[in-house]
Structures are given as C-alpha cells and as structure tokens.
Amino acid sequence: MSKSVAIFSRFPLASKLKESLPFIDFIDVKQTDPTPLYTAEVILADYDYVGPHLSKLQNIKWIQGTWAGIDYLKPFIQNDNPPKFLITRTSGENFGQLMGEHVLATMIFWERNYFQARENQYLKNWDKSICSEDHRSLAELTVGILGIGSIGNRIGRTLNYLGSTIYGYGRQEINLNNEEYEHISQYFTQATLKDFLANVDYVINVLPATPQTDNLLGNGILENCKGKNVIFINVGRGNIIKETELINALNQEWISGAILDVFENEPLSKDSPLWEMKNVFITPHISGNSRSRDIIKKFVMNYERYQNNQPLINIVDFDKGY
Amino acid sequence: MSKSVAIFSRFPLASKLKESLPFIDFIDVKQTDPTPLYTAEVILADYDYVGPHLSKLQNIKWIQGTWAGIDYLKPFIQNDNPPKFLITRTSGENFGQLMGEHVLATMIFWERNYFQARENQYLKNWDKSICSEDHRSLAELTVGILGIGSIGNRIGRTLNYLGSTIYGYGRQEINLNNEEYEHISQYFTQATLKDFLANVDYVINVLPATPQTDNLLGNGILENCKGKNVIFINVGRGNIIKETELINALNQEWISGAILDVFENEPLSKDSPLWEMKNVFITPHISGNSRSRDIIKKFVMNYERYQNNQPLINIVDFDKGY
C-alpha cells in the first residue's frame, strides 16, 4: 500500500492535504521535472498536466483527477486499449451545487434584464422599465435538462424546488417513479428530442462530450424551439452543437438567447461572432470550477477507500467515455 | 354588496380581471378624471395614484393596493386618525418568489465576479481567473435576514435549501421550533443586533420603513461586520441606513459590498456617489416588481373573500405601519 502520493496540479493542494492525511508523503511534482510521476502508485493530477505522461507511468494504480471532464485525457488513450489502472474524477455534489448556482443566477439575470441594470449603473440611469412588468419567474418556466446524472439532477431538483417544471433527457429509458428522478415531470430520449425542444422555455445542456452527444443539437433540430422565447444554457460541453450552427439558430431566432460557459473550441477565439452577439452571455468555462477545498475532500474520501480496498467513487468508464 | 370596482393603476388589469370576474363592472379611472373614485365602494389602485384622493373617498370600504410598501400612502394618512376603511396590500408568496430570485442571483453574480465576465465579453477577453478558485458557494455562507415575515422567510427558506446557514432578525421574540421558522438556525433582536452583524457573511434587509427601522444599520453599527467580507443586500426600504452612512461603511471597508435595490431617496439622484462605486450593484427598485398576473390573482382572491364577508388577506395595520 502506497504511503506516498504524487501531486501534479495547478491547484494549491499539498499543505491542506497534509493536514487531513498527516502520515502520507505528498510529492509536489513540477512540470520542469515530471520524473517522480513515472514511479508513483497514486497520482492526484490535473488532466492536462498528466495526459502527455500517461504512457510512461510504470507503477500507477490510481489517478485521481482534479475536475470532472476527461476531454484532456482522451487524446492519450487508445479506445481499443483503455488504461489498466483506475482513473477517478472530481465530480458529484460540489459541481452540482456550483453549476446549479451558475444556472439559477444566469437565468434570473436573463429574465430580468439585469445585465442592462449594470450598464445603466455606469450611465447613472434609473430605468425601472428594464425589467418588464410581466417578466417570467422561475416558477413559470419549463426547463429541459439534457443529462440526468448527478449534476443534471441536482440542477433540476433545485429549479423544481423554486417552482420550475422539469423535463429530462437521457440516453436510456428510466423509471420516473425512482426517487432520484422525482423532480422530473416528463422524460425524453433521442427518439423524442423534438418534442422535448418544442415544449421547454430553457434547454440546459449538462451532457459530457461523447460520440453520442456530438452535434446532438445541430442539423437544424433547434428549429423546434421557434417562436417560444427559448434560451439555451450550455454548462456541459461545446460538442453538443457546432458553433456555426448555434450562431445560425440565434440568427434565425429559433432560440432567443444563449448563456454559454463551454464552446466547441476553447478558449473561444477572438474571431468568434458569439462575443458580440447581444443575446449571448459568455463565461470562460467556470460554471463548475474545481476548488481546492472540493478536490481535497474528494481525494481524502477516495484515498481512505483505496487504503481499505473499497470501491472508489467516480471511476471513469472508458466505454461510456466519462 | 358592490358589483362595481374602480381601477386606478398604471398596470393593464381590467380586461384580464373581467375574464376572472365576469359579473363585475370594472371602471377604468383616468388620472384626468378621478371623480369615479369618490363614489366607489371598492378600489384597486396604485398607492401613488390614489394617495392624494384619500380624503375625498365618500363611500369607500376597501382599497386593494397593487404593491406591498405603503410609503406613498403615508403622507396622506394621519397617525392619530387612521382610515376607517380597509386597505390591503399585494404581498405574500409572489413577492417572496421574485425577491428571493433577485437575492439568489445577485449573491451568486457577486461571489463569482460575473459582472466582470460581462465586461470581459465586450473586450473579447477569455479570463478564467475572474472567478477565484476558492470562491464561496451559497452552501458556505451564513446569511442574516433582517425581517422574518412572509418575504424574509421565503428568501431564507430558499437559501437554506441551497445550503446557507440562516440567521434571523426581528422585533419580537419568536419560537424557533415553530415550523415557519425551521430554516432559521439563530435568531436575534435589537438587543443582540451587534452579534448578528458580527457573525454573518451577508446582511439582507427585507424590513419595511417604520420608525423602528429608521437608520437601524446607521450610527456605526456596521463596524461589527469589519474584516469578514460582508455584503449588504437591501430589498426592503432605504430608510434602514442613511445614504451617507452606507457610503462611509463601504469606504471604511466595514462591509465589502452593497447590492442595492432601494435607497434613502428614490429615484437615486445622479449626484449620488453610489452609482460610481465599484463595490456596489444598483437596480432601480425592481427586485419585487408587481406584475399584472400577481395583482389580478390577489385581487380575485380578496374580492371573493369580500363578497363572502370573510377576512381579507394582507390588511394594512397602521399601528405597525405596514
């Protein structure tokens, strides 16, 4: 059983981890000298740091990643020969909380036109009319969530608590009577995606990037949203719709706005027309920011399981792609 | 029993009310000819419209107001001789929902620095560092709410659902075991206001304007918040602290920011330094905007009670001042 852990991350983790796990030797690996990785049994790492070294890890049994999406690892993994060791993601409740907060706040700012309030502040302009007297409250919205894993369900449950009607979308048939889906009033799959889009006020994408989700909202399917003041929120991955198709959907007014945290290409190029579109709000992939405190909590929990030969939490399944 | 109702409001109400109460004669009173008010038994009115006419209402039995705060009525009412007729406010769950949404959204934008995200969008600047990696989630905040009536409790319950610890402040001793206060973990009154301020991350004022709340947060008491990154949100009334004292509290860094929807003087004068302060977010008294749909719902409910001689909801108590 390894009593040392290699840390390869931009987050400040080592000293706080030492407080929680005082008998473990934490090795802070520098990018200028990655050799300690090659003999490590356990690594706590950012995926973009560790990715290029995957093939050189001789003794590795477990990598705990510092965030949820494994996109940065994928180029270094052969589909027909997935890793023999475990990779676990930092996912779950904390991202659900943070991404839920992002979704709530941006929806409310959008419905109330509070971006305009901020601009009016600069102009010293007291204008009560910015927030229309019949603006929509969350309680009056039907919100469709693409992806009903832990994050999607957390977002849906919160919106449902605030009064929204929740529609869910996923790959498999599910039992809506299951307690974990009790906030969902209707459920849709690929075969009924058009009905889903035709009946919601918001479309929130939480799906990971997989071959099944590539351009899922492309090929004109967003035309089903037309005429209903639908807003698209993307906190999942930019692969869900090609950027050109998203811009077209906005220009055609199939959807009336987009609140975008993730993009087909990141960072978003300065050439992208999205930056200047009035009906778009852009954040730079920070809706579910990993925070040191959450990474540490997850690592400590998983390390204790590892020591006790218990199954780890959030193991990457390379068949599913996340 | 009156079968006619005079409407004196800037909101478009008559045609939708007719749908709900088809046997009632709704008289749309114009500001150019207010005489129909003088003989009306029931009036649905904006307070600033009806206020100057109060002394001329000969047959009035009940005025339903279109919003919650009666500030605009007070100049026309003698304290030692309050009206003999009923005045009811449009208050309750809808304002709690809307003001709760305002509070949630502005807190989250503040903690994540999303105002900067909007500015960065104009600059086409992809800067992930704006949202600090250890920013606070709602689940990590202790939120103190000044005022634990229906609106304050609704806001508190929602924040508590999202993980915040809730401290309450009110005039009277209450029983925290009462179901309506189950979201409150500690309760404070005037005698313990300093302790309240010394132990919260956010101070949210929901109190109405009354002699008891005049400058309640003035006279330097906000110094108790010093050094703890406390944000003040005001969705109640601007009388809670004099504008000069609020500006001083910000300049002294007793509090680190203010999210202001209401002000000592409204509309906020172009001369006010608040407009230009970087640690202030200003909205023009719209956090709990009355909406036609909510006014209609409340009026229909109260009118049915009125017809059936049942007690009306949200009757103004002139002793309390709201």
Side-chain angles (χ1 to χ4, degrees):
Chain A
M1 178 55 60
S2 173
K3 287 290 176 194
S4 79
V5 172
I7 300 179
F8 199 35
S9 171
R10 50 173 66 71
F11 295 98
L13 301 170
S15 65
K16 283 255 169 89
L17 272 170
K18 194 76 194 167
E19 288 173 24
S20 298
L21 298 169
F23 303 111
I24 308 302
D25 186 21
F26 290 100
I27 302 154
D28 233 332
V29 181
K30 307 284 173 220
Q31 287 191 292
T32 48
D33 176 19
T35 52
L37 296 174
Y38 305 157
T39 54
E41 181 186 320
V42 176
I43 297 175
L44 171 59
D46 301 351
Y47 297 128
D48 58 341
Y49 278 29
V50 79
H53 303 282
L54 280 192
S55 65
K56 290 171 253 166
L57 309 179
Q58 295 148 22
N59 298 331
I60 189 69
K61 289 191 177 163
W62 167 39
I63 296 176
Q64 170 74 48
T66 53
W67 60 71
I70 59 164
D71 320 38
Y72 285 110
L73 278 188
K74 287 183 179 169
F76 305 102
I77 287 171
Q78 298 160 289
N79 281 339
D80 53 354
N81 185 23
K84 305 283 184 292
F85 52 89
L86 293 176
I87 300 177
T88 52
R89 308 178 298 133
T90 292
S91 183
E93 284 299 289
N94 53 330
F95 285 121
Q97 170 87 25
L98 295 177
M99 293 166 83
E101 292 184 13
H102 171 95
V103 165
L104 283 181
T106 55
M107 285 176 73
I108 295 164
F109 261 63
W110 192 278
E111 291 299 321
R112 293 179 172 232
N113 205 8
Y114 277 4
F115 296 114
Q116 188 61 49
R118 187 61 165 180
E119 290 181 38
N120 284 353
Q121 182 175 346
Y122 294 129
L123 303 169
K124 304 187 183 185
N125 180 15
W126 179 276
D127 178 7
K128 286 172 81 80
S129 72
I130 56 165
C131 179
S132 117
E133 75 98 357
D134 63 350
H135 71 274
R136 304 184 291 189
S137 92
L138 297 182
E140 291 150 347
L141 295 170
T142 298
V143 180
I145 299 181
L146 297 166
I148 52 157
S150 66
I151 291 172
N153 278 343
R154 177 67 173 267
I155 295 171
R157 218 174 287 124
T158 301
L159 284 165
N160 184 238
Y161 177 82
L162 287 159
S164 305
T165 301
I166 307 298
Y167 287 2
Y169 171 95
R171 274 202 291 177
Q172 285 134 349
E173 289 300 335
I174 59 166
N175 182 356
L176 274 192
N177 294 323
N178 189 323
E179 193 187 352
E180 102 188 81
Y181 303 121
E182 64 188 359
H183 56 283
I184 298 176
S185 49
Q186 284 195 56
Y187 181 71
F188 301 81
T189 61
Q190 177 105 45
T192 51
L193 180 55
K194 285 182 185 177
D195 296 331
F196 172 91
L197 294 171
N199 288 288
V200 295
D201 300 308
Y202 271 72
V203 175
I204 301 180
N205 178 43
V206 191
L207 290 166
T210 68
Q212 288 76 30
T213 63
D214 272 340
N215 211 27
L216 184 70
L217 294 184
N219 301 312
I221 200 170
L222 285 180
E223 192 169 358
N224 290 285
C225 295
K226 199 171 177 175
K228 295 189 291 75
N229 189 16
V230 175
I231 315 299
F232 170 54
I233 296 186
N234 199 352
V235 290
R237 283 293 181 267
N239 76 313
I240 197 85
I241 182 168
K242 291 196 172 76
E243 190 179 313
T244 51
E245 297 204 44
L246 174 58
I247 291 167
N248 183 53
L250 286 160
N251 286 337
Q252 302 282 338
E253 297 181 7
W254 296 344
I255 56 175
S256 24
I259 295 170
L260 304 172
D261 188 54
V262 295
F263 301 86
E264 191 185 0
N265 297 300
E266 294 181 12
L268 184 64
S269 158
K270 289 216 194 279
D271 299 334
S272 171
L274 289 171
W275 289 110
E276 291 189 11
M277 293 178 79
K278 283 195 179 159
N279 48 357
V280 171
F281 175 54
I282 291 174
T283 49
H285 202 145
I286 55 180
S287 76
N289 247 358
S290 280
R291 303 181 308 170
S292 300
R293 66 186 82 163
D294 304 320
I295 297 166
I296 287 165
K297 202 167 148 192
K298 179 68 66 145
F299 181 78
V300 169
M301 190 177 68
N302 255 345
Y303 190 81
E304 281 167 1
R305 288 171 163 268
Y306 183 77
Q307 280 184 310
N308 297 318
N309 289 312
Q310 292 170 332
L312 302 187
I313 307 291
N314 295 124
I315 294 173
V316 173
D317 177 338
F318 285 95
D319 284 338
K320 286 195 198 156
Y322 59 90
Chain B
M1 177 56 59
S2 173
K3 286 291 176 194
S4 78
V5 171
I7 300 179
F8 199 35
S9 171
R10 52 172 64 72
F11 296 99
L13 300 170
S15 65
K16 283 255 168 86
L17 272 170
K18 194 74 195 168
E19 286 172 25
S20 298
L21 297 169
F23 303 112
I24 308 302
D25 186 20
F26 290 100
I27 302 155
D28 233 332
V29 180
K30 306 287 172 219
Q31 288 191 291
T32 47
D33 176 20
T35 53
L37 296 175
Y38 305 158
T39 54
E41 179 186 323
V42 177
I43 298 175
L44 171 59
D46 302 351
Y47 298 128
D48 57 341
Y49 280 28
V50 79
H53 302 281
L54 280 192
S55 64
K56 290 171 254 167
L57 308 179
Q58 294 149 21
N59 298 330
I60 189 70
K61 289 193 178 162
W62 167 38
I63 296 175
Q64 171 74 48
T66 54
W67 59 71
I70 59 163
D71 319 38
Y72 284 111
L73 278 189
K74 287 184 181 170
F76 305 102
I77 286 171
Q78 297 161 288
N79 282 339
D80 52 355
N81 185 24
K84 304 282 183 295
F85 52 90
L86 293 176
I87 300 177
T88 54
R89 308 177 299 132
T90 292
S91 183
E93 283 301 287
N94 54 329
F95 284 120
Q97 170 87 25
L98 296 176
M99 292 166 83
E101 292 184 13
H102 171 96
V103 165
L104 283 180
T106 54
M107 284 175 74
I108 296 164
F109 261 64
W110 192 278
E111 291 300 321
R112 296 180 169 230
N113 204 8
Y114 276 6
F115 296 113
Q116 188 62 49
R118 186 61 165 181
E119 289 180 37
N120 284 352
Q121 182 175 345
Y122 295 130
L123 303 168
K124 304 187 182 185
N125 180 16
W126 179 276
D127 178 6
K128 287 171 81 79
S129 71
I130 56 163
C131 179
S132 122
E133 75 98 356
D134 64 350
H135 71 274
R136 304 183 291 188
S137 91
L138 297 183
E140 291 149 349
L141 295 170
T142 298
V143 180
I145 299 182
L146 296 167
I148 52 158
S150 67
I151 292 172
N153 278 342
R154 176 67 172 269
I155 294 171
R157 217 174 286 124
T158 301
L159 283 165
N160 184 238
Y161 177 82
L162 287 158
S164 305
T165 301
I166 307 298
Y167 287 3
Y169 171 94
R171 275 201 289 175
Q172 284 134 349
E173 289 300 335
I174 58 166
N175 182 355
L176 273 192
N177 293 322
N178 189 323
E179 193 186 353
E180 104 188 79
Y181 303 121
E182 65 189 358
H183 57 284
I184 298 177
S185 51
Q186 284 194 57
Y187 181 71
F188 301 80
T189 60
Q190 178 105 43
T192 52
L193 180 56
K194 285 183 185 177
D195 296 333
F196 173 91
L197 294 171
N199 288 287
V200 295
D201 300 308
Y202 272 74
V203 176
I204 302 180
N205 177 42
V206 191
L207 290 166
T210 67
Q212 287 76 32
T213 63
D214 272 341
N215 210 27
L216 184 70
L217 295 183
N219 301 312
I221 200 169
L222 286 179
E223 191 169 359
N224 291 285
C225 295
K226 200 171 177 176
K228 295 189 293 73
N229 189 16
V230 174
I231 315 298
F232 170 54
I233 297 186
N234 199 353
V235 290
R237 283 293 180 268
N239 76 312
I240 196 86
I241 182 168
K242 291 197 171 75
E243 191 179 312
T244 50
E245 296 204 44
L246 175 59
I247 291 168
N248 182 54
L250 287 160
N251 285 337
Q252 301 282 339
E253 296 181 9
W254 295 343
I255 57 175
S256 18
I259 296 170
L260 304 172
D261 187 52
V262 293
F263 300 86
E264 192 185 358
N265 297 301
E266 294 182 12
L268 186 63
S269 157
K270 289 213 193 283
D271 299 334
S272 170
L274 289 170
W275 289 110
E276 291 188 9
M277 294 178 79
K278 284 194 177 161
N279 48 356
V280 170
F281 176 54
I282 290 174
T283 49
H285 203 145
I286 54 179
S287 76
N289 248 358
S290 280
R291 303 180 310 170
S292 299
R293 67 187 82 162
D294 303 320
I295 296 166
I296 288 165
K297 202 167 148 191
K298 179 67 68 147
F299 181 77
V300 169
M301 190 178 69
N302 255 346
Y303 191 81
E304 282 165 1
R305 288 171 163 268
Y306 183 77
Q307 280 185 310
N308 297 317
N309 289 312
Q310 291 170 332
L312 302 187
I313 308 290
N314 295 125
I315 295 174
V316 174
D317 177 337
F318 285 94
D319 283 337
K320 285 194 199 157
Y322 58 90

